[in-house]
Amino acid sequence: MKDQQGQAFASVAEGGAAGRASVGPLWKTVSDELLQEVLAGEFGDGFPGELELAQRYGVSRGTIRAALKPLRDAGHITAHPGRKPMVVAGRSTAYGPIYSVLASIRESGMKHASVVLEQHLVTNPEVAAKLSLPPDAELFHLSRIRLADDEPIGLDQVWLPAATAGKLLEADFRDSSLYGELDRRCGLVLDGGTEQLTAVLASPAQALLLRCAEGSPLLLIERTGCHRARDLEFRRSYVLGGRVTMATAFGCKTNPPRRD
């Protein structure tokens, strides 16, 4: 199949402007196909180098570099000069190093759903400071209750710069991943971040939302997610410890960390 694809791309390349007009810029066609393969997890054994891709598609290395640039910019593959690219996002519970609660729930065999409480633009000087933004910067804010098999497991609150994530206002977050929508609508995959975990007690308002007793133990997870060394996400998640187990693989494990 790949040989046929390479012949098809070579045919387009040889066809000149008339051939390209029917499919758009050649580099964009190659880039779109590679993106679909990355998202489908087809490069688990390593991403091909520029020369291999040029031979596969029958195009120049310059075309391949142009095709890879959007994938690198969005964080789908790493960008280290002189080294083969590596896939960051793929078929796992993670979008880059950042794990997805939705994917973790589904991988555990449970049904996921969310009750959206807020999804709008706000200003929040405290959060803006964490993202190195002016106090009056406009932020996209999403607040929702996360459910697994119709049982609340946590309360999720997240903020991102509106200039970057404004298109998320159009997303339906009742059964979709924030990171999946951020990738699909805004072309961004977070490529790093930090988390701080703190034990807290459920307030009356939180207890009502999570259907637990006031004062129940919660795990507060505060995360700052970044893209290309720029902080883009601040998140507070209040998780019911009695309904969620968190596990991390490290050392000799090669699979991405999981949090169920």
Side-chain angles (χ1 to χ4, degrees), residues 75-252:
H76 289 293
I77 60 176
T78 58
H80 300 297
R83 293 165 52 186
K84 290 180 66 174
M86 293 179 60
V87 174
V88 175
R91 188 179 291 166
S92 70
T93 62
Y95 283 86
I98 305 297
Y99 63 85
S100 163
V101 173
L102 179 150
S104 297
I105 292 172
R106 288 178 174 168
E107 193 171 277
S108 299
M110 295 181 288
K111 175 186 174 183
H112 169 270
S114 291
V115 178
V116 177
L117 305 175
E118 297 179 76
Q119 184 179 348
H120 55 181
L121 299 181
V122 300
T123 56
N124 185 316
E126 176 195 0
V127 173
K130 293 180 182 295
L131 298 179
S132 302
L133 296 172
D136 60 349
E138 202 167 37
L139 305 169
F140 168 79
H141 175 51
L142 175 66
S143 175
R144 55 181 173 167
I145 304 168
R146 311 302 292 271
L147 308 174
D149 285 347
D150 298 323
E151 286 287 325
I153 64 167
L155 174 63
D156 225 10
Q157 300 174 322
V158 64
W159 295 262
L160 301 101
T164 301
K167 292 181 180 178
L168 296 182
L169 288 170
E170 306 164 5
D172 183 353
F173 285 107
R174 290 173 296 179
D175 187 29
S176 61
S177 160
L178 172 71
Y179 302 123
E181 292 295 325
L182 186 63
D183 182 6
R184 186 169 72 87
R185 295 175 183 271
C186 306
L188 291 173
V189 176
L190 301 184
D191 53 20
T194 60
E195 281 190 349
Q196 177 176 303
L197 281 66
T198 308
V200 298
L201 301 178
S203 68
Q206 292 167 342
L208 182 63
L209 292 172
L210 295 174
R211 303 206 297 263
C212 65
E214 181 181 343
S216 294
L218 302 177
L219 184 63
L220 168 60
I221 305 171
E222 293 184 294
R223 174 193 295 175
T224 301
C226 63
H227 173 72
R228 298 172 72 84
R230 176 190 172 198
D231 291 338
L232 282 185
E233 173 209 33
F234 180 69
R235 178 189 291 261
R236 285 196 184 105
S237 298
Y238 296 88
V239 178
L240 279 161
R243 297 176 190 169
V244 177
T245 298
M246 300 183 69
T248 301
F250 57 92
C252 64

